[in-house]
Amino acid sequence: MNVLKELKEKGHILSMPRIAILRYLLEHKTHHTAESIHKALEQEYPNLSLATVYNTLKLLSREGFIRQLHISENRTLYDSNTKPHSHFLCRICGKIEDIWENEKTNFPKEINGNLIEDVHTYYFGICRECRKKYEKGQSH
Amino acid sequence: MNVLKELKEKGHILSMPRIAILRYLLEHKTHHTAESIHKALEQEYPNLSLATVYNTLKLLSREGFIRQLHISENRTLYDSNTKPHSHFLCRICGKIEDIWENEKTNFPKEINGNLIEDVHTYYFGICRECRKKYEKGQSH
DNA sequence: GTTTATGCAAAAGTTTTGCAAACTA
DNA sequence: TAGTTTGCAAAACTTTTGCATAAAC
């Protein structure tokens, strides 16, 4: 994996837990919590600790291999899909959906003298499926 | 205050803590944490509890009097300025700045079948002041 | 008088940290 | 071997909750 090489070139040790977590994230390019990653790997790596998962996720965020999302309340999500995109959260069922908008790739590089390095856009509302359920409920 | 009347009309009791917190928020239209509000009011209301601040902020968010921001890590910010605007977070000093963009008032009402009710846009980068310091540091 | 909110303390949940042991280079 | 990282447990933080008391309507 190219990413492992990159991580090493940035001066970090390629430990077992790091390789395992990174491989899992690359094979599952979606949103994860530290706990969900830990759960997913605990069969294969029985003594992987949650603290290590947290520390690794922090490292991978710092180095730009994943993105942290703060769309859900009081819990960080880690997105292993780093292509620029937005997110939608359904306030009924809690589902999060990727939103692909062309203009998100070219955001302003400066606003009021502030250097802009990244943008996160979160949409909130009611998803397709919940709308259907709701409309059915209304119609009879 | 008109807002107090509104709160009452929505079926909520106008208790002392609620009036105090709401008045404070209206007089300080910026970003707060539950703790900062509690600190600001503890001289005037010595036995105001932090739990009540949290409960009141949740109520006010639900009723649309304030907006919750999740731009900082692992701590909710409450914005008493409800006019549609975005936010910028400096990754050096941690300062948060309001960003006023015209297009933020008319976001799409539907994306891929999902009903969009609200949008939060967070910009990340380096603020004016930190850029100056950094550029000075580079120049000698 | 009935209902709802408060304050306190305890609980719950997420994330971080200290440190001896284990691992990587 | 030197320097990092790990796992564990404990700590740190933010936020929520249960319940008797107090306040609002």
Side-chain angles (χ1 to χ4, degrees):
Chain A
M1 282 184 288
N2 221 358
V3 175
L4 289 179
K5 213 178 118 189
E6 259 187 79
L7 193 60
K8 192 169 187 180
E9 280 166 1
K10 291 189 175 183
H12 303 291
I13 286 179
L14 290 190
S15 65
M16 274 278 288
R18 284 179 184 170
I19 296 170
I21 291 167
L22 203 36
R23 205 176 75 189
Y24 177 77
L25 290 174
L26 293 175
E27 287 170 0
H28 302 82
K29 293 213 170 191
T30 180
H31 323 113
H32 311 269
T33 63
E35 207 195 351
S36 75
I37 295 169
H38 184 248
K39 272 218 171 63
L41 293 174
E42 69 182 358
Q43 285 85 10
E44 210 174 339
Y45 304 88
N47 45 8
L48 172 65
S49 82
L50 187 55
T52 297
V53 176
Y54 272 108
N55 290 333
T56 302
L57 289 171
K58 191 182 255 187
L59 172 71
L60 296 178
S61 303
R62 255 199 325 265
E63 297 296 11
F65 296 111
I66 58 177
R67 295 173 87 201
Q68 293 191 202
L69 305 182
H70 295 107
I71 190 171
S72 298
E73 317 215 332
N74 306 326
R75 130 170 300 202
T76 303
L77 293 182
Y78 301 88
D79 194 346
S80 47
N81 188 341
T82 52
K83 288 184 203 135
H85 63 284
S86 305
H87 294 91
F88 168 80
L89 170 65
C90 176
R91 70 169 162 87
I92 308 291
C93 67
K95 186 185 65 180
I96 293 171
E97 188 174 306
D98 286 349
I99 303 287
W100 299 89
E101 298 167 300
N102 298 331
E103 71 269 23
K104 284 300 154 195
T105 32
N106 39 4
F107 55 83
K109 293 294 169 289
E110 182 175 316
I111 300 180
N112 301 334
N114 303 305
L115 178 71
I116 309 298
E117 297 172 329
D118 197 11
V119 186
H120 284 205
T121 303
Y122 301 121
Y123 292 97
F124 301 90
I126 306 180
C127 75
R128 275 184 305 282
E129 288 72 24
C130 288
R131 281 177 87 178
K132 271 180 210 154
K133 281 180 210 160
Y134 181 70
E135 282 155 18
K136 270 186 195 154
Q138 293 292 81
S139 62
H140 58 75
Chain B
M1 282 186 291
N2 220 357
V3 176
L4 291 181
K5 212 178 117 188
E6 258 187 83
L7 194 60
K8 192 168 186 180
E9 281 165 359
K10 289 188 175 182
H12 304 292
I13 286 180
L14 290 188
S15 66
M16 274 277 289
R18 284 179 183 170
I19 295 170
I21 291 167
L22 203 36
R23 205 173 78 190
Y24 177 78
L25 289 174
L26 293 175
E27 286 170 359
H28 302 83
K29 291 213 168 188
T30 180
H31 324 112
H32 312 270
T33 62
E35 206 194 353
S36 74
I37 295 169
H38 184 247
K39 271 217 171 63
L41 293 174
E42 70 183 356
Q43 287 84 11
E44 212 175 338
Y45 304 90
N47 45 12
L48 173 66
S49 82
L50 187 55
T52 298
V53 176
Y54 272 108
N55 290 332
T56 303
L57 289 171
K58 189 180 257 187
L59 172 69
L60 296 177
S61 303
R62 254 199 324 262
E63 296 297 10
F65 296 112
I66 59 178
R67 292 174 87 200
Q68 292 191 201
L69 305 182
H70 295 107
I71 190 172
S72 297
E73 318 212 333
N74 304 328
R75 131 169 300 204
T76 303
L77 293 182
Y78 300 88
D79 194 345
S80 46
N81 189 341
T82 51
K83 287 182 204 139
H85 63 283
S86 304
H87 294 91
F88 168 80
L89 170 66
C90 176
R91 71 168 161 87
I92 309 293
C93 68
K95 186 185 68 179
I96 292 171
E97 189 175 303
D98 286 348
I99 304 287
W100 298 88
E101 298 167 298
N102 299 332
E103 69 268 21
K104 282 303 154 195
T105 32
N106 39 4
F107 55 82
K109 294 295 169 288
E110 183 176 316
I111 300 180
N112 301 336
N114 303 305
L115 178 73
I116 309 298
E117 298 171 328
D118 198 11
V119 186
H120 285 205
T121 303
Y122 301 120
Y123 291 98
F124 301 90
I126 307 179
C127 74
R128 276 184 304 281
E129 289 71 26
C130 287
R131 282 178 85 177
K132 271 180 207 153
K133 281 179 209 160
Y134 181 72
E135 280 156 18
K136 269 184 194 155
Q138 294 292 81
S139 63
H140 58 75

